[in-house]
Amino acid sequence: MPAPGIGTPAELGDFLRTRRARLQPEDVGLVSYGARRRVPGLRREELAQLAGVSAAYYTRLEQGQSHNASEGVLEALARALRLTADERAYLLALARPGQRRRRPAVRHEKARPGVLQLLRALDGVPALALGPRFEVLAWNRLGHALIAGHLDADSPGRPLDRPNTQRLLFLDPHTRELFPDRDTEIRRAVSALRVTASERPDDPQLAALIGELMMKSEEFAALWSWHGVRNCTFGTKRFHHPLVGELELEFEMMQTPDGSGQGVLMYTAADGSPSEAALRLLATEHGPHLRVLEAERP
C-alpha cells in the first residue's frame, strides 16, 4: 500500500503543477507583456520552452499520462523549475516508482544498542532516537522533559501508544503550545515527511500515519497538498516550555549508517546563553540522572 500521494500516476503531475505555480515569467527571464494571466505562475508552454520539450509532451507528463520521462528531460525540468537538491531527488523518485526498492513491512522497530549507548552518553543534552516513521524509540530524561514531559516517560516502550513526533505536532494540544513559530515548524515537518514517504512508498505503517493526519488535521492536509520537500536534518528551533520558558536551540539529526532509517535527534544551546541555563534548570527539575527510556524488545 503506497503512502497517500506517493507513487500514484497523478502525483508527478501534482508536484510539477505546484512547482510551476510558484514561478513568475520574470523569475526565469521570460518577458511578461502585462496581459492578465488566468492561472498563477508559469504557463505549461512556457515551462516546456524552458525545458526544451514540446508543450504537448509536457502536458501529458503533468496530466499523469506519460510514465517514461528520460533522465535528461527530468534534469531539464528540474533546472527550469529551479528545484532544490531535495526537490530534484523527490522528482526523480516520483518519476521512477518502479525502480524503488520494495521494503518489507516492519511491525515494530527497536533502537540499535549503539544508539542507546549514545543517548546514555549525552548527559545534559536532550536527545531522542527516532524510527523511520518519526516514532520515538528511546529518549533520555532531558529529551523527554523538553519534547513531551506531559506524556508517560515509559511510553516509547509500548508500541501501541509510542509517541510520534509528527502526530504530536499536529494532533497533541500540549505540543501545539510548545512551538511559538508553529507555522515554520509544521512546514518543516511535512517537508521532511514528504522526503521519507518518497523513500518508503510501500511502507504500510507510514501510509497509515499519513492517512490519519490527512483525516484529522486540516493544517496537515493543506501542507501535504502543497508538496513542500526538504530534508530537514539541522537548524534552529524556538520553544516555549511550560516549566522553563523560552529556549532557542540548535538541532542535529544524525542518521545511522545501516540504512534502517533510524536516527538520533539532539538539541544544544549556545554556551553561556539563557537557553543553556534553561536546559540546566530543566535537567534539575527532572533529576540529576538522565536515564535512557527505550522501546521494549519485541
Side-chain angles (χ1 to χ4, degrees):
M1 175 183 175
I6 292 294
T8 63
E11 186 65 8
L12 176 59
D14 288 342
F15 180 64
L16 291 172
R17 276 191 295 275
T18 59
R19 301 309 92 177
R20 177 167 61 85
R22 71 182 182 180
L23 291 175
Q24 298 301 318
E26 54 269 25
D27 296 333
V28 293
L30 296 178
V31 177
S32 179
Y33 294 100
R36 183 173 181 179
R37 303 174 73 89
R38 291 180 296 175
V39 295
L42 294 178
R43 298 187 177 100
R44 286 174 178 167
E45 57 270 22
E46 291 171 333
L47 180 59
Q49 176 187 348
L50 289 168
V53 299
S54 72
Y57 176 78
Y58 175 76
T59 298
R60 291 196 302 273
L61 195 63
E62 195 172 278
Q63 291 177 345
Q65 298 173 2
S66 178
H67 310 291
N68 297 303
S70 69
E71 188 88 8
V73 167
L74 295 173
E75 292 290 354
L77 287 172
R79 289 192 297 270
L81 290 167
R82 300 192 172 185
L83 300 185
T84 66
D86 289 334
E87 289 172 332
R88 175 189 169 278
Y90 183 75
L91 172 66
L92 295 175
L94 290 179
R96 298 283 185 267
Q99 295 181 10
R100 296 177 295 203
R101 180 169 57 90
R102 184 174 295 272
R103 299 170 183 264
V106 178
R107 185 174 182 183
H108 296 306
E109 296 279 344
K110 60 181 180 180
R112 294 174 54 238
V115 170
L116 298 178
Q117 291 178 17
L118 178 59
L119 293 188
R120 294 187 184 100
L122 292 172
D123 187 36
V125 175
L128 301 82
L130 298 180
R133 308 168 194 93
F134 299 89
E135 69 273 36
V136 179
L137 303 178
W139 47 24
N140 61 18
R141 184 57 62 90
L142 193 52
H144 167 245
L146 176 68
I147 298 299
H150 62 292
L151 299 181
D152 184 354
D154 295 316
S155 56
R158 298 190 297 271
L160 294 182
D161 66 346
R162 181 177 294 162
N164 181 288
T165 58
Q166 294 274 348
R167 188 179 287 113
L168 287 173
L169 185 59
F170 285 97
L171 303 181
D172 181 73
H174 293 85
T175 306
R176 175 177 290 273
E177 301 300 321
L178 187 61
F179 297 102
D181 296 331
R182 178 169 173 78
D183 185 64
T184 297
E185 191 63 24
I186 61 177
R187 287 178 180 276
R188 182 158 47 191
V190 176
S191 295
L193 185 57
R194 271 281 181 193
V195 173
T196 299
S198 71
E199 295 170 346
R200 306 178 70 89
D202 303 303
D203 188 323
Q205 292 170 284
L206 184 63
L209 171 66
I210 295 171
E212 177 189 3
L213 294 175
M214 289 281 286
M215 289 187 295
K216 295 182 178 179
S217 171
E218 293 182 1
E219 281 182 320
F220 179 87
L223 289 173
W224 187 257
S225 68
W226 177 237
H227 295 265
V229 180
R230 184 184 171 197
N231 199 4
C232 306
T233 57
F234 63 93
T236 303
K237 293 189 183 187
R238 290 180 56 230
F239 295 84
H240 180 75
H241 196 276
L243 294 181
V244 297
E246 303 295 324
L247 301 97
E248 183 173 290
L249 304 176
E250 298 296 316
F251 73 90
E252 293 281 345
M253 181 69 179
M254 300 178 60
Q255 297 289 337
T256 59
D258 59 357
S260 66
Q262 292 186 18
V264 176
L265 176 60
M266 298 169 289
Y267 294 94
T268 58
D271 290 344
S273 67
S275 296
E276 184 184 46
L279 280 182
R280 287 199 301 267
L281 177 60
L282 187 61
T284 301
E285 290 288 330
H286 284 261
H289 303 294
L290 304 179
R291 67 186 179 92
V292 171
L293 303 160
E294 64 183 280
E296 291 177 344
R297 295 291 186 260

